[in-house]
Amino acid sequence: MENEIKEIIAGLKAGIEGEGGKIELTGVQTDGTICLEQREDCASCLATVWTHRLRVERAIKKEFPEAKIEVQLVS
């Protein structure tokens, strides 16, 4: 599962980074919870923050519908 998540994120990275964001997989817990760290150059712009988060969550849920995703926003 972890490798598949890394591939999903890698496919989205160029678009997210082009808009000033960064997202990294920090781990997959034993219960299957996917932990991500999100950084934004413009963290004050909530539209961008949420757009990036939703883009990643949708892509992961498409492959792993039952996944629980935790995102930590780091500025």
Side-chain angles (χ1 to χ4, degrees):
M1 178 182 198
E2 189 167 338
N3 287 335
E4 290 92 341
I5 301 297
K6 286 179 181 178
E7 287 179 22
I8 291 168
I9 292 171
L12 300 172
K13 265 190 173 182
I16 291 172
E17 289 177 355
E19 296 173 348
K22 184 177 180 184
I23 193 132
E24 296 291 331
L25 176 66
T26 57
V28 178
Q29 298 176 354
T30 55
D31 68 354
T33 300
I34 299 163
C35 301
L36 303 170
E37 183 176 279
Q38 181 179 358
R39 295 181 184 271
E40 296 290 336
D41 289 341
C42 184
S44 63
C45 179
L46 292 178
T48 301
V49 171
W50 279 102
T51 299
H52 293 165
R53 180 178 180 156
L54 291 174
R55 186 182 301 165
V56 171
E57 287 182 357
R58 281 189 196 130
I60 292 172
K61 291 277 191 176
K62 183 177 178 182
E63 297 299 319
F64 302 98
E66 73 290 347
K68 180 178 175 192
I69 303 169
E70 292 181 2
V71 180
Q72 180 182 11
L73 182 61
V74 180
S75 48

